[in-house]
Amino acid sequence: MVIKQSLPIGAAYLIIELVLSFFIASIVKLLEPNLPIFQILFYRYLLCLPLLTIYGLSKHGLKIFHVNNIRLLLLRILCGFLGLVMWFLAVATIDISLATVLFNTMSLFITILSVIIARESVGLRRSAAVVVGFLGVVFIISPISASFNFSGVIYALLGAVFSGLMFVFIRMLGKTNDSIPTAIWYNSFGVVVSLIILFVSENYLNNSVISLVSRDLPWDYLLALGLLASFQQFCLAESHRYADASALAPFHYLAIPIGIAFGVVLFNETIT
């Protein structure tokens, strides 16, 4: 279904998605000292599926899994998974404020990749907005007094590249596909792959699978993680149905003040 394009609606959905993503990142940072990253990822993917599935069934019925372009879907799934893994590893390793600033080099990648892959027309105003925003990112990095960790920096930058690709593929999918089926496929993939990686990397095969449903787990945080991720996924996909990825790219820079605010308020990070 082709919908009428509207940058204000697309931008509104994206801003909501950005705020939700920082609530999710904050929960991840709180959980990471006690839970492996891939266990957190497993619950994030698993617990966001029920709400998406209920909404999808009410809207699409038995066509809930129907997607027109399988190749684009696979590319969106792979880049989205890798981008989220890198983002979670970054916020777990370095301050949210620094991770956010580095991650938002993504806007530059989105603009470039939109032209190369999606053949979008990027005018002078869009290009200027992205370049000015990128220069702002470079300027902001210097005064942030954050716990520097080289691996965390690499995670954030890799996350920016993979997420930039993901946003382009989401836009291309959104032109002919509804947001819910693609979100359900993506999160279902995430459940399976994160569980496999968890079993291998944490040697869970030698332990009882019952540990995954232990009463000792912080279920309040995990359920909140899944609920927030459900709404985040919906807003993310909807934003790119209403506007080009390159048109939305400058709005991603709003994540910087939002991320710094979360870091300062919740984690006492220092901005000098």
Side-chain angles (χ1 to χ4, degrees):
M1 179 181 69
V2 178
I3 63 174
K4 184 178 179 180
Q5 298 295 280
S6 172
L7 181 58
I9 295 177
Y13 272 119
L14 182 63
I15 292 169
I16 295 171
E17 186 271 334
L18 289 174
V19 174
L20 291 174
S21 71
F22 282 106
F23 278 109
I24 292 170
S26 299
I27 293 174
V28 171
K29 197 167 185 67
L30 291 171
L31 292 176
E32 188 274 335
N34 301 309
L35 291 177
I37 282 293
F38 283 101
Q39 187 170 359
I40 299 172
L41 273 168
F42 168 72
Y43 289 115
R44 175 253 178 261
Y45 283 119
L46 178 66
L47 296 175
C48 86
L49 276 173
L51 195 59
L52 288 174
T53 303
I54 291 170
Y55 178 75
L57 286 171
S58 67
K59 187 176 181 181
H60 301 286
L62 297 178
K63 293 184 178 180
I64 189 174
F65 296 110
H66 178 71
V67 176
N68 295 326
N69 194 319
I70 302 300
R71 176 175 170 272
L72 274 180
L73 176 65
L74 292 174
L75 289 170
R76 180 263 182 270
I77 287 173
L78 181 60
C79 292
F81 180 79
L82 291 173
L84 187 60
V85 170
M86 295 300 145
W87 170 241
F88 276 18
L89 288 170
V91 298
T93 308
I94 57 179
D95 287 354
I96 285 183
S97 53
L98 178 58
T100 301
V101 173
L102 292 169
F103 193 75
N104 274 278
T105 55
M106 170 181 60
S107 297
L108 187 63
F109 296 126
I110 291 174
T111 304
I112 295 171
L113 294 169
S114 295
V115 175
I116 297 173
I117 298 174
R119 300 290 191 268
E120 290 183 5
S121 177
V122 180
L124 181 61
R125 284 190 302 174
R126 288 188 191 178
S127 301
V130 171
V131 171
V132 169
F134 178 75
L135 293 175
V137 168
V138 174
F139 177 77
I140 290 172
I141 287 176
S142 299
I144 288 184
S145 175
S147 54
F148 184 83
N149 181 297
F150 184 73
S151 61
V153 171
I154 297 299
Y155 291 145
L157 293 175
L158 285 175
V161 175
F162 287 123
S163 295
L165 285 165
M166 176 196 70
F167 280 114
V168 173
F169 294 135
I170 285 177
R171 171 59 180 170
M172 294 171 72
L173 274 170
K175 291 179 178 179
T176 55
N177 294 272
D178 195 82
S179 56
I180 295 299
T182 57
I184 289 175
W185 276 112
Y186 164 64
N187 286 282
S188 299
F189 172 89
V191 170
V192 174
V193 174
S194 57
L195 185 61
I196 291 172
I197 296 174
L198 176 64
F199 276 2
V200 173
S201 63
E202 299 297 327
N203 205 25
Y204 267 48
L205 291 176
N206 294 333
N207 301 307
S208 173
V209 179
I210 300 299
S211 61
L212 290 175
V213 291
S214 169
R215 291 183 180 180
D216 296 329
L217 289 172
W219 287 108
D220 49 351
Y221 284 106
L222 293 173
L223 289 170
L225 188 68
L227 181 64
L228 290 170
S230 299
F231 289 105
Q232 184 217 11
Q233 285 290 293
F234 175 76
C235 291
L236 173 63
E238 285 295 298
S239 67
H240 287 75
R241 295 183 71 213
Y242 282 95
D244 287 345
S246 56
L248 291 171
F251 291 95
H252 285 276
Y253 289 123
L254 291 173
I256 295 175
I258 297 172
I260 291 175
F262 270 76
V264 171
V265 173
L266 297 182
F267 300 99
N268 296 317
E269 294 175 3
T270 304
I271 309 298
T272 58

